[in-house]
């Protein structure tokens, strides 16, 4: 992605090796985590690792992909979204019965002041 979008000034790719990433824009804070840890740990690790951004954000979400299907919970004002995947079912998932999830990409439209405005599915 970095190479593909290298000449596009409106696209920023974070290719750092950190397993967790956080971005604040306007009054929003979004964290991206693989999602293979307990939900309570995901919420608390965001609050610890992005402490300053968390303290000044009105809208906070964590996006994870580990379970490859949609699931949304909210706890203490932090929304945790597990997102669908476009990836085909791998051998481990098949062997363990994790089949049948809808394949899609989820896109989010955020307002700098008003939080999440739209969700698009493709």
């Amino acid at each position: 992605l970095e190479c593909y979008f290298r000449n596009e000034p409106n696209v920023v790719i974070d290719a750092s090796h950190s397993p967790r990433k956080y971005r604040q824009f306007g009054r929003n804070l979004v964290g991206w985590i693989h999602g293979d840890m307990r939900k309570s740990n995901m919420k608390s690790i965001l609050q610890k690792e992005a402490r300053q951004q968390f303290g000044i954000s009105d809208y906070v979400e964590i996006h994870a992909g580990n379970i490859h299907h949609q699931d949304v919970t909210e706890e203490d004002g932090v929304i945790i979204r597990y997102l669908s995947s476009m990836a085909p079912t791998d051998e481990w998932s098949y062997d363990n019965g994790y089949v049948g999830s809808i394949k899609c990409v989820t896109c989010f439209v955020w307002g700098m002041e008003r939080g999440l405005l739209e969700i698009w599915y493709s």
Side-chain angles (χ1 to χ4, degrees):
L1 289 175
E2 239 181 339
C3 184
Y4 185 84
F5 288 107
R6 69 185 176 280
N7 296 320
E8 177 55 57
N10 295 318
V11 176
V12 176
I13 303 296
D14 180 349
S16 65
H17 293 285
S18 173
R20 296 178 293 275
K21 299 177 189 283
Y22 310 100
R23 293 290 175 265
Q24 181 180 23
F25 36 97
R27 296 167 51 189
N28 309 290
L29 173 62
V30 179
W32 292 272
I33 296 175
H34 181 258
D36 54 348
M37 66 175 77
R38 290 181 21 210
K39 286 183 184 181
S40 61
N41 290 355
M42 285 195 289
K43 183 187 79 162
S44 66
I45 203 159
L46 177 139
Q47 293 170 336
K48 294 172 190 171
E49 292 181 341
R51 184 181 311 263
Q52 183 177 1
Q53 297 98 317
F54 180 80
I56 59 174
S57 297
D58 293 318
Y59 308 101
V60 180
E61 292 200 7
I62 297 171
H63 293 184
N66 182 53
I67 61 175
H68 293 216
H69 67 267
Q70 295 183 51
D71 182 53
V72 180
T73 58
E74 180 180 348
E75 184 179 334
D76 300 329
V78 176
I79 294 173
I80 298 176
R81 291 184 192 274
Y82 285 96
L83 305 176
S84 297
S85 171
M86 289 186 60
T89 304
D90 60 20
E91 184 177 356
W92 183 90
S93 298
Y94 180 82
D95 290 346
N96 287 280
Y98 296 114
V99 297
S101 63
I102 296 171
K103 309 297 184 206
C104 79
V105 172
T106 309
C107 302
F108 300 87
V109 178
W110 298 85
M112 296 295 271
E113 297 297 319
R114 295 186 1 218
L116 182 61
L117 302 176
E118 299 178 24
I119 301 175
W120 302 345
Y121 298 96
S122 176

